[in-house]
Amino acid sequence: MPLPAARGELSRLLLAALSGGDDAPDFLAAVQGWTCDGNILFDDDLQLTLTLLYELHLQGLAGVSDDWEWNSELLAARALLEQPFEGALRELAPLQVPGDVEADLVELTSADGGPGLSRYMARTATLDQWQEFLTHRSIYQLREADPHTMGIPRLAGGPKAALVEVQADEYGGGGRPERMHSALFARTMRALGMDDSYAAHLDAVPAITLASVNALSLFAVHRRLLGALVGHLCAVEMTSSAPCKLYASGLRRLGFGTAATLFFDEHVEADAAHEQICRGDLAGGLAKQQPERATDILFGAAVCLGMDELGARHMMECWAVGHSSLREVTPPA
């Protein structure tokens, strides 16, 4: 991931440390004294800071030593920041008492309380709005499968096999890198004249977009949140097929062909099959193996849906008043 511009004191101190300075103690001290006056999910400085800290466990940061991944002061700082962040996620998605997890997931993912983003993209969105939409989505889609894959070594038996089956398709199935879903999304970006390199648009996306990705990263790096990681994937797979059909329709309306639509066309078919595997073998299987994780399965699914709704609402509200949904990025001097 390329190093972005700072968005406040926390991210400034972290970037200074990662760029070769000796500011990790100063960063930890700043975190210890940090308070948030508003909604943490919309705090640019905090969300960028968490994004950078999590990226140390994923593809890494350009020019930053891998030694920082397990730096004790950065880990301590991340733990302090995760507490209010997880608290905000739990406020967004209050815990539900599970009954039958599979039935609960169907009910949760069947609700239509969002702002209708996929319908708007199909019927109304301009090319500029499509490029903004893909910019937001690129932060997640260009590494689509990776955080969920971190659940594989934490599962056993049927749930492990189910997750492997789903993730094998995400990575192209049969060893075909050009069919990896992240590669197909990059192909869509190129078809629309966009830079498809990993995290190229990090500076442009607002806090709520980063918060959605950070929620998944939080679930992925903590074994105690395995249930939430599983629930998050279930929500993705159980709500993707119909919107992707609309997204593909919207691109065809603007005159784009297979190069642009293949990512969405692929998800119409793949996620319809994945839905059954995730709901039954993965989530249902894990709930039977470890009933204590059932509540977190529903929590993870609810967080996924809630964050998607907040992100969609941000885009729709900005477009309704003729504003960009992206941050203004100042070109380097």
Side-chain angles (χ1 to χ4, degrees):
M1 175 181 284
L3 292 181
R7 302 190 186 183
E9 186 66 4
L10 293 183
S11 53
R12 184 190 69 80
L13 286 170
L14 176 57
L15 285 164
L18 296 174
S19 298
D22 190 22
D23 294 325
D26 292 339
F27 171 63
L28 177 56
V31 168
Q32 290 169 332
W34 178 83
T35 57
C36 180
D37 297 329
N39 188 333
I40 197 172
L41 301 179
F42 293 88
D43 187 297
D44 270 302
D45 191 28
L46 180 280
Q47 294 302 334
L48 178 60
T49 298
L50 281 175
T51 297
L52 295 171
L53 290 170
Y54 287 133
E55 190 62 26
L56 293 171
H57 300 284
L58 295 166
Q59 294 193 28
L61 300 166
V64 173
S65 170
D66 290 342
D67 292 340
W68 281 107
E69 181 179 6
W70 299 108
N71 178 274
S72 60
E73 288 166 327
L74 296 194
L75 292 175
R78 195 190 79 195
L80 289 172
L81 295 174
E82 285 177 331
Q83 292 174 14
F85 179 50
E86 184 175 343
L89 295 177
R90 293 193 178 278
E91 185 175 345
L92 174 70
L95 294 181
Q96 305 178 47
V97 178
D100 177 272
V101 164
E102 294 185 46
D104 292 338
L105 284 171
V106 171
E107 181 178 1
L108 190 62
T109 56
S110 297
D112 186 17
L117 178 62
S118 59
R119 292 187 293 274
Y120 180 85
M121 300 307 294
R123 301 169 184 170
T124 308
T126 65
L127 175 58
D128 286 345
Q129 290 170 341
W130 260 101
Q131 290 171 330
E132 286 192 21
F133 169 72
L134 295 177
T135 295
H136 288 284
R137 290 282 293 264
S138 70
I139 306 301
Y140 166 71
Q141 300 291 175
L142 292 178
R143 69 173 201 188
E144 178 177 1
D146 297 348
H148 290 127
T149 299
M150 294 172 73
I152 291 174
R154 298 168 182 170
L155 293 166
K160 181 193 284 282
L163 182 53
V164 169
E165 182 176 356
V166 170
Q167 296 305 88
D169 286 343
E170 298 290 338
Y171 291 116
R176 296 175 296 168
E178 75 282 358
R179 299 290 298 192
M180 291 173 62
H181 288 183
S182 57
L184 296 181
F185 188 83
R187 182 178 175 181
T188 297
M189 295 183 75
R190 291 194 301 273
L192 270 68
M194 301 175 65
D195 184 348
D196 68 328
S197 55
Y198 182 71
H201 304 281
L202 181 61
D203 282 322
V205 298
I208 191 59
T209 301
L210 297 181
S212 180
V213 176
N214 288 337
L216 175 54
S217 297
L218 173 73
F219 300 157
V221 300
H222 290 283
R223 191 162 59 87
R224 66 179 176 85
L225 293 172
L226 174 61
L229 183 66
V230 165
H232 187 284
L233 178 59
C234 288
V236 170
E237 301 294 343
M238 295 175 70
T239 60
S240 175
S241 185
C244 281
K245 187 173 183 178
L246 289 171
Y247 292 139
S249 175
L251 286 170
R252 292 190 179 98
R253 172 179 58 83
L254 292 176
F256 290 98
T258 303
T261 65
L262 184 57
F263 170 82
F264 297 109
D265 292 334
E266 176 80 7
H267 280 73
V268 172
E269 297 184 11
D271 289 354
H274 291 172
E275 175 182 351
Q276 308 298 322
I277 300 169
C278 285
R279 186 182 72 235
D281 300 333
L282 180 55
L286 179 61
K288 291 175 183 176
Q289 280 185 352
Q290 302 180 47
E292 69 277 9
R293 296 197 188 272
T295 298
D296 268 355
I297 292 173
L298 299 182
F299 167 62
V303 165
C304 177
L305 298 173
M307 294 303 298
D308 281 353
E309 181 174 343
L310 288 177
R313 194 173 303 281
H314 168 76
M315 282 184 265
M316 296 284 281
E317 289 177 352
C318 288
W319 295 340
V321 295
H323 293 167
S324 171
S325 63
L326 301 175
R327 301 174 72 245
E328 185 175 347
V329 178
T330 302

